[in-house]
Amino acid sequence: MSHHLWYRPRTADADGTGQANHKVSFSDSSKRDSSRPSASRTNSHASSPRLLSPRGDKDRDRPRSQQLWSDNRDNRVWQRVNRQSEALWQESPSVLSPNSPQPRPFLIYHDSFLNLLGPSPTLSLLISDPRAPYFHEAGVFHPATNTLFITSNQIPDTSPDAVTTSNKTILITKIEFFSPTDFTRDKVRCPERNYMANGGTNFRDGIILCAQGSLREPSGLIYMEAKRPHKTTTLLNNYHGRPFNSPNDVVVHSDGSVWFTDPIYGYEQGFRPKPQLPQHVYRFDPSTGDIRVVADGFGRPNGICFAPDEETCYITDTDVIHGDGTKVHSRPATVYAYSVYWTNDQPYLTNRRVFAYADTGAPDGIKCDVYGNVYAGCGDGINVWNSGGMLVGKILIEGGCANFCFGRNGEMWCFGEHKLWRVKLADETKGALLGV
C-alpha cells in the first residue's frame, strides 16, 4: 500500500496560540528569489541541497506574516498565512481550501525539505502484523548482508524464564532485502538470550544492542554477529561494579568508542531492580575498557547520534512519557545539542543547549543525514530539522514512529509498532552513520 498525500502544516495564529484552522493558499512561484544557499550543513560526503530564500530581495514588500514554500514539480507555492493575511486565499480563484484533503504525507515547512525529498518521494507500507508490536526500536541496517534488524516492543511471555522480566519479552526481527519490496522476514534466534534488547547500531562486522536486562540478568551492551548463528558477546554490563538502569540507545563514534543512554524505563516497567545510578549518558572505549559519564541532568535520556562531522552530539529527552505510561506535557520532549570538545586526547560534551522541542509526542530515535539535518521519531512521524534547529519538514506516519533507520540511496524504514513503513527520499539524502 502506497500513500502520496501532502498535508498542510499546523500553524500558529497572530497571538501564538497554535490554532489549526488557518488558511493555506497556492500562488505563482515566479517572484521567488532563489539566490540564497542552503542552511543545511555540508561535509565531505555530500554538498547541501539548495535552499530557496524565504525573503529574497523581490519579496521584501511582502507582509512578514507570510511564509512560502515552493514545489517546482507542480509549479505551486506553498503558503502559510495567519489571520492578518488570510484574505489571500479567499480572493484567489485557483487556491485550495485548507479544509480540502491535501495530496501527500510530507509537510513542507521550508524549501530545503523539498530538496531532501527529491522529485518523487513515497511512503509505503511494507508489513502490517496485528499479532504483536514487532517494529519498535533498534533499526540497524547491515549493508554487507542487505539486512535490517529491528527490536520489538514488549510482548507477553508465559515461559518460565520470563518471570524475571515480568512475563514480557522482546524479539529481534531480521529482514533480508532482495529488492525494496522483495524480502524475507525471520526471528533472530541467538545461542544466548538477549535480555530485553532495545536500541542498536552498527559495530565492526555486526551490531551492538542495548540489553535492558531483567530482575536477574544485568543490563549493558551486547555485540551480536550479523550472520547466523548470530552469536552474542557481552561488551559491558556495569559501571565500576554498579549496575546500569536499562540502556536505551547507542551510537558508535569514528574513534571506535560507544556512546549510550541509560534511563530508568526498565524499573518503571517492572523488569529491572531499583536504580543504583542516575540517568546518565556514557562513553565506553572497548579498546581500553574505559567507561565514563559524559552527560547528565535528563528526565529520561533516550536517543543519541552525532552530526556528520562529529562536532555536535544530539540527545533526546523523553521525560514527557514515563515507563508506567503517564504523560505530563510540562516535562521535556526535547532534543539537546552538545558541542564535542577534546582535551587531553579525550572528548567531552559541553555547551548543552535546547536544539528542538517536539510538538507532538516525544522525540525518541534520532539520526542525521549527510548534510547535517536532524531526524527524530515523534508522535506524528519523522520530524526533520536543519542543523540550526529550524523545523524544515515532517513525514507523517499514522500512529507515530518511535524509531527509524536509513538504508541505501534515500531509503528509510520507519517503525510503527505493528507496521513497518518504507520512505523513499532523494537518492542523495543518505544517513550520516553509513553514508550509503
Side-chain angles (χ1 to χ4, degrees):
M1 178 175 68
S2 292
H3 299 272
H4 308 281
L5 299 173
W6 290 92
Y7 290 87
R8 66 187 175 90
R10 294 185 299 176
T11 63
D13 58 10
D15 61 8
T17 56
Q19 300 298 317
N21 59 349
H22 297 297
K23 317 302 181 185
V24 176
S25 69
F26 306 96
S27 59
D28 181 68
S29 62
S30 60
K31 295 184 179 181
R32 294 300 307 281
D33 176 8
S34 60
S35 61
R36 186 175 176 182
S38 173
S40 298
R41 172 174 273 170
T42 61
N43 70 4
S44 60
H45 295 291
S47 60
S48 173
R50 192 177 184 188
L51 170 64
L52 299 179
S53 170
R55 289 189 57 80
D57 293 337
K58 297 179 181 179
D59 292 331
R60 289 184 179 179
D61 294 331
R62 289 189 185 275
R64 290 185 179 271
S65 57
Q66 302 176 31
Q67 295 185 6
L68 303 179
W69 297 268
S70 72
D71 185 352
N72 295 327
R73 294 186 292 276
D74 57 8
N75 295 320
R76 287 177 173 175
V77 172
W78 293 80
Q79 185 175 22
R80 181 173 69 184
V81 297
N82 62 24
R83 288 175 179 172
Q84 295 176 349
S85 54
E86 65 181 3
L88 291 177
W89 78 270
Q90 294 172 337
E91 294 172 357
S92 174
S94 61
V95 301
L96 182 67
S97 166
N99 296 322
S100 301
Q102 312 273 327
R104 301 178 187 175
F106 304 94
L107 294 185
I108 311 300
Y109 286 86
H110 198 270
D111 287 333
S112 54
F113 193 50
L114 294 168
N115 295 282
L116 298 175
L117 293 176
S120 304
T122 59
L123 171 65
S124 315
L125 181 62
L126 285 185
I127 301 173
S128 179
D129 192 334
R131 295 176 299 171
Y134 292 113
F135 313 109
H136 178 61
E137 281 279 1
V140 183
F141 177 61
H142 190 255
T145 58
N146 222 34
T147 302
L148 175 66
F149 295 90
I150 310 168
T151 57
S152 72
N153 208 329
Q154 296 173 23
I155 299 172
D157 187 354
T158 58
S159 67
D161 287 341
V163 173
T164 62
T165 56
S166 296
N167 297 112
K168 307 167 189 174
T169 192
I170 289 177
L171 301 177
I172 303 173
T173 294
K174 174 183 176 180
I175 300 177
E176 185 176 359
F177 287 94
F178 306 101
S179 76
T181 56
D182 182 16
F183 53 86
T184 60
R185 172 187 172 191
D186 196 8
K187 295 177 184 177
V188 172
R189 295 173 173 84
C190 304
E192 305 86 1
R193 180 172 177 174
N194 289 307
Y195 283 95
M196 307 299 278
N198 199 66
T201 193
N202 303 79
F203 185 68
R204 296 173 181 167
D205 294 329
I207 66 176
I208 285 180
L209 292 169
C210 290
Q212 297 179 92
S214 68
L215 295 172
R216 181 183 60 196
E217 299 294 330
S219 59
L221 301 176
I222 288 178
Y223 173 75
M224 185 179 79
E225 295 179 354
K227 298 180 180 180
R228 292 185 179 88
H230 303 296
K231 183 179 179 181
T232 58
T233 304
T234 298
L235 298 178
L236 178 71
N237 64 10
N238 70 88
Y239 176 77
H240 300 292
R242 296 170 65 179
F244 294 114
N245 299 318
S246 45
N248 189 279
D249 200 9
V250 59
V251 67
V252 176
H253 191 275
S254 62
D255 68 358
S257 62
V258 182
W259 302 55
F260 64 98
T261 60
D262 188 32
I264 61 169
Y265 283 126
Y267 170 68
E268 293 179 317
Q269 294 166 356
F271 62 85
R272 286 291 292 148
K274 186 176 180 179
Q276 297 184 39
L277 286 168
Q279 299 180 88
H280 287 150
V281 177
Y282 296 91
R283 176 187 183 268
F284 171 60
D285 186 344
S287 66
T288 64
D290 177 62
I291 173 71
R292 63 186 182 89
V293 176
V294 290
D296 63 3
F298 297 93
R300 299 291 183 276
N302 202 313
I304 182 170
C305 76
F306 288 103
D309 59 10
E310 297 184 326
E311 293 182 359
T312 305
C313 180
Y314 299 100
I315 302 172
T316 67
D317 190 339
T318 51
D319 193 30
V320 66
I321 304 173
H322 283 192
D324 58 5
T326 59
K327 298 180 182 180
V328 178
H329 293 287
S330 60
R331 295 191 299 231
T334 307
V335 180
Y336 293 101
Y338 294 80
S339 299
V340 182
Y341 172 72
W342 285 78
T343 182
N344 296 321
D345 295 325
Q346 292 295 316
Y348 289 82
L349 296 185
T350 65
N351 189 25
R352 169 177 165 140
R353 65 265 189 200
V354 171
F355 174 79
Y357 181 85
D359 62 80
T360 305
D364 194 333
I366 190 167
K367 308 272 192 308
C368 285
D369 65 21
V370 292
Y371 305 116
N373 298 296
V374 181
Y375 301 62
C378 298
D380 52 358
I382 306 294
N383 289 199
V384 185
W385 298 271
N386 67 14
S387 59
M390 175 191 292
L391 180 67
V392 298
K394 292 186 178 184
I395 304 169
L396 295 184
I397 296 175
E398 178 186 0
C401 173
N403 218 320
F404 60 98
C405 177
F406 281 96
R408 286 192 174 92
N409 302 321
E411 186 174 36
M412 292 175 62
W413 296 285
C414 305
F415 313 139
E417 304 300 326
H418 293 270
K419 296 179 179 180
L420 175 63
W421 300 88
R422 178 183 183 267
V423 175
K424 182 62 178 73
L425 307 175
D427 288 349
E428 298 78 15
T429 306
K430 304 173 187 291
L433 185 66
L434 298 176
V436 297

mmCIF file of all heavy atoms in Angstrom, residues 37 40 69 91 107 133 151 181 183 205 230 263 271 369 377 381 391 399 415 420:
data_model
loop_
_atom_site.group_PDB
_atom_site.id
_atom_site.type_symbol
_atom_site.label_atom_id
_atom_site.label_comp_id
_atom_site.label_asym_id
_atom_site.label_seq_id
_atom_site.Cartn_x
_atom_site.Cartn_y
_atom_site.Cartn_z
ATOM 1 N N PRO A 37 21.932 30.352 -0.456
ATOM 2 C CA PRO A 37 22.323 28.938 -0.350
ATOM 3 C C PRO A 37 21.603 28.252 0.792
ATOM 4 O O PRO A 37 21.013 28.885 1.651
ATOM 5 C CB PRO A 37 23.828 29.003 -0.098
ATOM 6 C CG PRO A 37 24.016 30.320 0.582
ATOM 7 C CD PRO A 37 23.003 31.254 -0.043
ATOM 8 N N SER A 40 21.456 24.042 5.420
ATOM 9 C CA SER A 40 21.885 22.736 5.905
ATOM 10 C C SER A 40 23.395 22.645 5.878
ATOM 11 O O SER A 40 24.059 23.149 4.980
ATOM 12 C CB SER A 40 21.289 21.628 5.023
ATOM 13 O OG SER A 40 19.900 21.660 5.081
ATOM 14 N N TRP A 69 6.644 28.230 0.664
ATOM 15 C CA TRP A 69 7.390 27.028 0.294
ATOM 16 C C TRP A 69 7.074 26.748 -1.160
ATOM 17 O O TRP A 69 5.911 26.714 -1.542
ATOM 18 C CB TRP A 69 6.974 25.833 1.140
ATOM 19 C CG TRP A 69 7.275 26.025 2.569
ATOM 20 C CD1 TRP A 69 8.399 25.658 3.231
ATOM 21 C CD2 TRP A 69 6.448 26.652 3.545
ATOM 22 N NE1 TRP A 69 8.337 26.011 4.543
ATOM 23 C CE2 TRP A 69 7.144 26.619 4.750
ATOM 24 C CE3 TRP A 69 5.187 27.246 3.509
ATOM 25 C CZ2 TRP A 69 6.631 27.156 5.921
ATOM 26 C CZ3 TRP A 69 4.680 27.775 4.667
ATOM 27 C CH2 TRP A 69 5.394 27.735 5.854
ATOM 28 N N GLU A 91 -9.526 35.335 -1.799
ATOM 29 C CA GLU A 91 -9.709 36.148 -3.001
ATOM 30 C C GLU A 91 -9.214 35.454 -4.264
ATOM 31 O O GLU A 91 -9.531 35.863 -5.365
ATOM 32 C CB GLU A 91 -8.969 37.475 -2.844
ATOM 33 C CG GLU A 91 -9.559 38.351 -1.745
ATOM 34 C CD GLU A 91 -8.702 39.565 -1.480
ATOM 35 O OE1 GLU A 91 -7.634 39.673 -2.127
ATOM 36 O OE2 GLU A 91 -9.095 40.399 -0.648
ATOM 37 N N LEU A 107 4.937 17.144 5.153
ATOM 38 C CA LEU A 107 4.690 18.541 5.499
ATOM 39 C C LEU A 107 5.911 19.363 5.138
ATOM 40 O O LEU A 107 7.018 19.046 5.576
ATOM 41 C CB LEU A 107 4.410 18.695 6.990
ATOM 42 C CG LEU A 107 3.141 18.068 7.551
ATOM 43 C CD1 LEU A 107 2.994 18.448 9.013
ATOM 44 C CD2 LEU A 107 1.922 18.514 6.781
ATOM 45 N N PRO A 133 3.599 -5.995 18.444
ATOM 46 C CA PRO A 133 4.356 -4.807 18.007
ATOM 47 C C PRO A 133 5.811 -5.150 17.699
ATOM 48 O O PRO A 133 6.730 -4.828 18.459
ATOM 49 C CB PRO A 133 4.239 -3.870 19.214
ATOM 50 C CG PRO A 133 4.117 -4.788 20.390
ATOM 51 C CD PRO A 133 3.330 -5.975 19.895
ATOM 52 N N THR A 151 14.102 -4.391 16.798
ATOM 53 C CA THR A 151 13.626 -4.969 18.050
ATOM 54 C C THR A 151 12.155 -4.618 18.253
ATOM 55 O O THR A 151 11.704 -3.539 17.864
ATOM 56 C CB THR A 151 14.443 -4.463 19.258
ATOM 57 O OG1 THR A 151 14.398 -3.040 19.306
ATOM 58 C CG2 THR A 151 15.880 -4.925 19.146
ATOM 59 N N THR A 181 10.922 -4.194 -2.316
ATOM 60 C CA THR A 181 9.653 -4.827 -1.918
ATOM 61 C C THR A 181 9.730 -6.348 -1.897
ATOM 62 O O THR A 181 8.729 -7.013 -1.651
ATOM 63 C CB THR A 181 8.525 -4.394 -2.876
ATOM 64 O OG1 THR A 181 8.887 -4.716 -4.222
ATOM 65 C CG2 THR A 181 8.273 -2.901 -2.758
ATOM 66 N N PHE A 183 11.555 -9.394 0.030
ATOM 67 C CA PHE A 183 12.363 -9.637 1.223
ATOM 68 C C PHE A 183 11.866 -10.875 1.950
ATOM 69 O O PHE A 183 10.757 -11.374 1.706
ATOM 70 C CB PHE A 183 12.296 -8.425 2.164
ATOM 71 C CG PHE A 183 10.901 -8.000 2.517
ATOM 72 C CD1 PHE A 183 10.207 -8.581 3.573
ATOM 73 C CD2 PHE A 183 10.266 -6.997 1.787
ATOM 74 C CE1 PHE A 183 8.916 -8.191 3.901
ATOM 75 C CE2 PHE A 183 8.975 -6.595 2.103
ATOM 76 C CZ PHE A 183 8.302 -7.191 3.163
ATOM 77 N N ASP A 205 31.848 -5.877 12.305
ATOM 78 C CA ASP A 205 31.140 -6.642 11.278
ATOM 79 C C ASP A 205 29.717 -7.022 11.691
ATOM 80 O O ASP A 205 29.032 -7.725 10.953
ATOM 81 C CB ASP A 205 31.913 -7.922 10.948
ATOM 82 C CG ASP A 205 33.255 -7.615 10.301
ATOM 83 O OD1 ASP A 205 33.353 -6.590 9.593
ATOM 84 O OD2 ASP A 205 34.207 -8.388 10.515
ATOM 85 N N HIS A 230 24.292 -15.834 14.713
ATOM 86 C CA HIS A 230 24.098 -14.602 15.488
ATOM 87 C C HIS A 230 24.634 -14.743 16.921
ATOM 88 O O HIS A 230 23.944 -14.415 17.887
ATOM 89 C CB HIS A 230 22.616 -14.203 15.497
ATOM 90 C CG HIS A 230 22.038 -14.030 14.133
ATOM 91 N ND1 HIS A 230 22.476 -13.048 13.270
ATOM 92 C CD2 HIS A 230 21.073 -14.726 13.474
ATOM 93 C CE1 HIS A 230 21.795 -13.136 12.134
ATOM 94 N NE2 HIS A 230 20.947 -14.139 12.231
ATOM 95 N N PRO A 263 18.275 5.404 30.697
ATOM 96 C CA PRO A 263 17.137 5.838 31.515
ATOM 97 C C PRO A 263 16.659 4.717 32.430
ATOM 98 O O PRO A 263 17.201 3.612 32.418
ATOM 99 C CB PRO A 263 16.082 6.184 30.461
ATOM 100 C CG PRO A 263 16.377 5.236 29.338
ATOM 101 C CD PRO A 263 17.892 5.081 29.323
ATOM 102 N N PHE A 271 10.653 -4.684 35.134
ATOM 103 C CA PHE A 271 11.559 -5.808 34.858
ATOM 104 C C PHE A 271 13.013 -5.500 35.220
ATOM 105 O O PHE A 271 13.907 -6.270 34.889
ATOM 106 C CB PHE A 271 11.460 -6.255 33.385
ATOM 107 C CG PHE A 271 11.857 -5.232 32.363
ATOM 108 C CD1 PHE A 271 13.182 -5.067 31.991
ATOM 109 C CD2 PHE A 271 10.898 -4.439 31.749
ATOM 110 C CE1 PHE A 271 13.557 -4.136 31.047
ATOM 111 C CE2 PHE A 271 11.259 -3.501 30.791
ATOM 112 C CZ PHE A 271 12.586 -3.344 30.439
ATOM 113 N N ASP A 369 21.387 13.118 8.586
ATOM 114 C CA ASP A 369 21.756 12.767 7.228
ATOM 115 C C ASP A 369 23.128 13.351 6.924
ATOM 116 O O ASP A 369 23.746 14.012 7.765
ATOM 117 C CB ASP A 369 20.676 13.205 6.225
ATOM 118 C CG ASP A 369 20.506 14.718 6.129
ATOM 119 O OD1 ASP A 369 21.444 15.463 6.500
ATOM 120 O OD2 ASP A 369 19.430 15.181 5.689
ATOM 121 N N GLY A 377 12.145 10.409 15.499
ATOM 122 C CA GLY A 377 10.850 9.745 15.510
ATOM 123 C C GLY A 377 9.983 10.361 16.597
ATOM 124 O O GLY A 377 10.357 10.372 17.766
ATOM 125 N N GLY A 381 5.182 11.051 13.451
ATOM 126 C CA GLY A 381 6.024 10.528 12.381
ATOM 127 C C GLY A 381 7.458 10.977 12.551
ATOM 128 O O GLY A 381 7.957 11.074 13.667
ATOM 129 N N LEU A 391 12.710 23.653 12.076
ATOM 130 C CA LEU A 391 11.894 22.559 11.567
ATOM 131 C C LEU A 391 11.649 22.787 10.084
ATOM 132 O O LEU A 391 11.024 23.775 9.686
ATOM 133 C CB LEU A 391 10.563 22.502 12.312
ATOM 134 C CG LEU A 391 9.594 21.392 11.896
ATOM 135 C CD1 LEU A 391 10.149 20.020 12.257
ATOM 136 C CD2 LEU A 391 8.224 21.600 12.551
ATOM 137 N N GLY A 399 -0.108 6.872 13.568
ATOM 138 C CA GLY A 399 0.258 6.299 14.853
ATOM 139 C C GLY A 399 1.613 6.713 15.369
ATOM 140 O O GLY A 399 2.013 6.314 16.459
ATOM 141 N N PHE A 415 9.407 2.639 11.974
ATOM 142 C CA PHE A 415 8.818 1.586 12.800
ATOM 143 C C PHE A 415 7.584 2.108 13.527
ATOM 144 O O PHE A 415 7.671 3.008 14.358
ATOM 145 C CB PHE A 415 9.859 1.068 13.793
ATOM 146 C CG PHE A 415 11.191 0.783 13.148
ATOM 147 C CD1 PHE A 415 12.375 1.127 13.780
ATOM 148 C CD2 PHE A 415 11.261 0.200 11.891
ATOM 149 C CE1 PHE A 415 13.605 0.890 13.178
ATOM 150 C CE2 PHE A 415 12.481 -0.053 11.288
ATOM 151 C CZ PHE A 415 13.651 0.293 11.919
ATOM 152 N N LEU A 420 5.515 -1.718 9.527
ATOM 153 C CA LEU A 420 6.823 -1.324 9.027
ATOM 154 C C LEU A 420 6.614 -0.516 7.759
ATOM 155 O O LEU A 420 6.007 -0.999 6.798
ATOM 156 C CB LEU A 420 7.688 -2.549 8.733
ATOM 157 C CG LEU A 420 9.049 -2.277 8.082
ATOM 158 C CD1 LEU A 420 9.932 -1.443 9.008
ATOM 159 C CD2 LEU A 420 9.754 -3.582 7.707
#
